[in-house]
Amino acid sequence: MNTELVVKIALKSWDFEYNRFKKLLDKISNEQLLKEVAPGKNTGIYLLGHLTAVTDAMRPMFGLGTALFPELGLPFISTPDKAGLEFPEPDALRHMWAQVMEKANADFHNMPAEDWFKRHNSMTDEDFVKEPHRNRFSVLMSRTIHQGYHAGQVALLVEKTA
Amino acid sequence: MNTELVVKIALKSWDFEYNRFKKLLDKISNEQLLKEVAPGKNTGIYLLGHLTAVTDAMRPMFGLGTALFPELGLPFISTPDKAGLEFPEPDALRHMWAQVMEKANADFHNMPAEDWFKRHNSMTDEDFVKEPHRNRFSVLMSRTIHQGYHAGQVALLVEKTA
């Protein structure tokens, strides 16, 4: 087993989730995006902002640069939906999502395979010695699953074609 | 980077999803489980059966034994929800899910780390030479994400506590 192959597998999953979510967004109107995914639950726009902010925080975590839209952390990570905070317009947020994903995808594919098994910036050197499995690779896996978790919810906004 | 560490990371994600779904099921009554996760969408019981059948098919795919409940494939994989097929009672299906997961979890944790990078039974030797990234490890990753995708939907059945 080689490192390149393992990283290729993980990035294939990441890319798969990216493409699935992109197709989902194309099928959902701005009007639908403002709706709740199920009665009383999060809105589509909140989940779009949440995924954008979470992915945007990955590059700084991996030491690959700064977040493009750090201002999204407050409304979409630290605060739950429907708390009265203002959200960007749907088209603006779709554009932010696309920019964040494009940058993350490029940087992730360019990272040397062995770097995925290095420490990330949310871990101290001391903690990393104790828990070497908490590396960039494990963050990539958990973020990919996180993206799938919310994609399953956003998919509920797609209207069935008869 | 070593093989054991990579497998440990992937199994940690798998275990995380297992525990999350287990907790979800504990919070959902049988009555709620029969409901649709959103208006016009799949029912909770269909998704529970779907995840049970998909996980149950992994052990034969990896050459670890036979499926415990192969009869779940027809109603929960080959057929969509609400097609008129009979489902097991909620309690019976919960028990099947628990048995399938227990067996899969034990077998997955016992598999030698290097075996995760071997061919699985849905690939021919010929195909595997061309696409070595389509191994058991990649199936584990995609099934973990798949579980997360539907967990996000089943989570919508949990009633908010005031």
Side-chain angles (χ1 to χ4, degrees):
Chain A
M1 201 272 308
N2 65 60
T3 308
E4 278 74 21
L5 187 71
V6 166
V7 169
K8 183 179 175 175
I9 292 169
L11 287 176
K12 271 190 174 279
S13 284
W14 174 265
D15 292 345
F16 178 87
E17 287 308 310
Y18 164 67
N19 285 309
R20 168 153 77 176
F21 201 76
K22 192 171 184 288
K23 276 180 208 152
L24 258 181
L25 283 179
D26 287 345
K27 283 190 212 161
I28 296 170
S29 68
N30 285 344
E31 199 189 334
Q32 285 171 300
L33 198 64
L34 296 170
K35 291 185 182 162
E36 296 170 336
V37 298
K41 307 295 176 176
N42 286 327
T43 58
I45 193 159
Y46 180 80
L47 293 176
L48 174 62
H50 179 64
L51 288 175
T52 306
V54 167
T55 301
D56 202 18
M58 288 172 77
R59 288 175 44 263
M61 194 174 178
F62 296 162
L64 297 171
T66 52
L68 300 181
F69 308 107
E71 69 274 17
L72 299 181
L74 176 63
F76 295 118
I77 298 183
S78 344
T79 315
D81 197 5
K82 304 170 211 169
L85 294 195
E86 214 174 311
F87 295 164
E89 290 297 313
D91 279 336
L93 194 57
R94 283 173 191 264
H95 190 57
M96 288 171 173
W97 177 83
Q99 285 175 279
V100 163
M101 292 309 294
E102 199 181 323
K103 194 98 180 111
N105 294 347
D107 282 359
F108 292 176
H109 279 276
N110 285 331
M111 204 198 289
E114 60 272 20
D115 284 8
W116 282 103
F117 300 92
K118 292 185 180 161
R119 188 178 67 82
H120 59 68
N121 293 331
S122 306
M123 291 282 281
T124 63
D125 281 320
E126 219 174 27
D127 287 342
F128 191 53
V129 169
K130 284 183 228 155
E131 303 187 282
H133 59 275
R134 294 179 57 192
N135 51 33
R136 298 172 188 184
F137 185 81
S138 71
V139 172
L140 180 68
M141 285 198 61
S142 58
R143 292 292 187 281
T144 307
I145 299 168
H146 177 251
Q147 200 166 309
Y149 184 89
H150 291 304
Q153 299 175 328
V154 173
L156 301 172
L157 292 172
V158 177
E159 271 175 25
K160 268 190 193 154
T161 46
Chain B
M1 202 271 307
N2 66 60
T3 307
E4 278 74 22
L5 187 70
V6 166
V7 169
K8 183 180 176 176
I9 292 169
L11 286 176
K12 270 189 174 281
S13 283
W14 174 265
D15 292 344
F16 180 86
E17 287 308 311
Y18 163 67
N19 285 309
R20 169 152 76 178
F21 202 76
K22 191 170 185 289
K23 275 181 208 150
L24 258 179
L25 283 179
D26 287 344
K27 283 190 213 160
I28 296 171
S29 67
N30 285 345
E31 198 189 335
Q32 284 171 300
L33 197 64
L34 295 170
K35 290 187 182 161
E36 297 170 335
V37 298
K41 306 295 177 177
N42 286 327
T43 58
I45 193 161
Y46 179 80
L47 294 175
L48 174 62
H50 178 66
L51 289 175
T52 306
V54 168
T55 301
D56 202 17
M58 289 173 77
R59 287 176 44 263
M61 194 175 177
F62 296 163
L64 297 171
T66 52
L68 300 181
F69 308 107
E71 69 275 18
L72 299 180
L74 176 64
F76 295 119
I77 299 183
S78 343
T79 314
D81 197 5
K82 303 171 212 168
L85 294 194
E86 215 174 310
F87 295 163
E89 291 296 314
D91 279 336
L93 195 57
R94 285 173 190 263
H95 190 56
M96 288 172 173
W97 177 83
Q99 285 175 277
V100 164
M101 293 308 294
E102 200 181 320
K103 193 97 180 113
N105 293 347
D107 282 359
F108 293 175
H109 280 276
N110 283 332
M111 204 198 291
E114 59 273 20
D115 284 7
W116 282 103
F117 300 91
K118 292 186 180 160
R119 187 178 68 82
H120 59 68
N121 294 332
S122 305
M123 290 284 279
T124 63
D125 280 322
E126 219 175 26
D127 287 343
F128 191 53
V129 170
K130 286 184 225 152
E131 303 186 282
H133 59 276
R134 294 178 57 193
N135 51 32
R136 299 172 188 184
F137 186 81
S138 71
V139 172
L140 180 69
M141 284 197 61
S142 58
R143 292 292 186 281
T144 307
I145 299 167
H146 176 251
Q147 200 165 308
Y149 184 89
H150 292 303
Q153 299 175 329
V154 173
L156 300 171
L157 292 172
V158 176
E159 271 174 27
K160 268 188 192 155
T161 46

